[in-house]
Amino acid sequence: QVQLVESGGGLVQAGGSLSLSCAASGRPFSNYAMAWFRQAPGKEREFVAGISWSGASTYYVDPVKGRFTISRDNGKSTMYLQMNNLKPEDTAVYYCAAGPPNRGIVVLTTFYDYWGQGTQVTVSS
């Protein structure tokens, strides 16, 4: 069992940066694969970035490659998403998700057992 709470969303100008955090409670945090998803108005929830339980593996969808960085600090039971050079297309509610450990990164929503409440990211032009 794990509980996830996202924070760090807000309003930012295009080209700016935001850092999202996902704080987890429950044990052990290090045993969970983690991912960030986002859902824009009128669109389905989509995978953004994932990280293995150890942090050794990461994966990003093409639209965010080179701009977003996913990381985790298992000692702090926290996952992060550093978002740089934000674009209006990045506007969405961003969700933290946790799933069982896996060798690769899973992009399917059904893989993830636990979800945060979401944090709004709005990028203005």
Side-chain angles (χ1 to χ4, degrees):
Q1 189 77 23
V2 62
Q3 296 79 44
L4 307 173
V5 179
E6 303 96 335
S7 62
L11 175 64
V12 66
Q13 293 282 102
S17 298
L18 284 174
S19 182
L20 305 184
S21 297
C22 173
S25 61
R27 70 179 192 90
F29 176 78
S30 61
N31 282 7
Y32 291 93
M34 305 289 291
W36 289 98
F37 289 75
R38 67 186 181 186
Q39 188 166 19
K43 296 185 179 293
E44 295 188 15
R45 190 169 300 184
E46 65 175 358
F47 177 90
V48 177
I51 188 166
S52 64
W53 69 271
S54 67
S57 299
T58 59
Y59 177 76
Y60 305 86
V61 293
D62 286 342
V64 309
K65 286 181 179 177
R67 300 189 297 119
F68 291 11
T69 302
I70 188 172
S71 62
R72 66 191 296 166
D73 186 336
N74 289 342
K76 296 182 177 180
S77 297
T78 303
M79 180 179 66
Y80 305 93
L81 185 68
Q82 178 64 46
M83 305 184 295
N84 298 325
N85 192 24
L86 282 161
K87 303 177 179 180
E89 305 91 87
D90 297 318
T91 295
V93 176
Y94 283 71
Y95 296 91
C96 174
N102 197 61
R103 289 187 64 185
I105 306 300
V106 180
V107 303
L108 300 176
T109 59
T110 53
F111 173 78
Y112 297 92
D113 300 309
Y114 305 103
W115 296 83
Q117 82 290 347
T119 185
Q120 177 70 49
V121 171
T122 302
V123 184
S124 62
S125 60

